[in-house]
Amino acid sequence: MATDCIFCKIVAGEIPAEKVAETDTTLAFRDINPKAPLHVLVIPKVHHPDAASLASAEPQIAAEVLSQAGVVARQEGYEDYNLVFNTGAGAGQTVFHAHVHVLGGLDASKLFLA
Ligand code: AMP
């Protein structure tokens, strides 16, 4: 656990979150400031600063985060969804504990990459 990491504190139960799924190594909870009809974050319980660092250090857990993103989307009723990994402050990352945004219900025609 990293000190002063808000997501480590959610994993530890020290601050509340609306959990939607949990495995031995991952946790999924609703984003506090949703940007889409479905906006869930899937995180590894172990602390790594971003998704690529996680994948380099613990590829099995990175795979489980990705797998759980799909599980959560389908559980929430979305077969189609977007996964976003903001990496670095310049790219909008504000919490430096690896996470994937699971976004459902966005208008695909308005997406940056569409
Ligand atoms: P990022 O900008 O990719 O680092 O995303 C961090 C996300 O964490 C943002 O979408 C925030 O709204 C979300 N967030 C921050 N604090 C909390 C919290 N306590 N519970 C749920 N989501 C949070």
Side-chain angles (χ1 to χ4, degrees):
M1 175 168 171
T3 49
D4 290 335
C5 171
I6 194 165
F7 287 177
C8 283
K9 287 180 179 169
I10 288 175
V11 170
E14 291 173 9
I15 62 171
E18 192 180 337
K19 297 178 187 177
V20 297
E22 184 167 10
T23 68
D24 285 349
T25 58
T26 70
L27 186 63
F29 53 91
R30 295 193 196 284
D31 195 292
I32 204 168
N33 183 21
K35 300 290 199 312
L38 173 68
H39 191 170
V40 167
L41 303 172
V42 183
I43 71 170
K45 290 183 176 176
V46 64
H47 183 89
H48 291 280
D50 57 58
S53 302
L54 168 68
S56 295
E58 307 204 53
Q60 192 57 46
I61 296 179
E64 181 143 5
V65 168
L66 267 183
S67 170
Q68 280 300 107
V71 167
V72 165
R74 284 189 295 278
Q75 174 183 298
E76 294 284 324
Y78 290 87
E79 287 294 326
D80 301 337
Y81 53 89
N82 298 91
L83 301 181
V84 174
F85 299 90
N86 295 327
T87 304
Q93 188 178 4
T94 58
V95 178
F96 293 86
H97 179 126
H99 56 278
V100 59
H101 296 258
V102 183
L103 301 159
L106 291 174
D107 181 347
S109 70
K110 296 195 172 122
L111 293 177
F112 177 62
L113 293 174

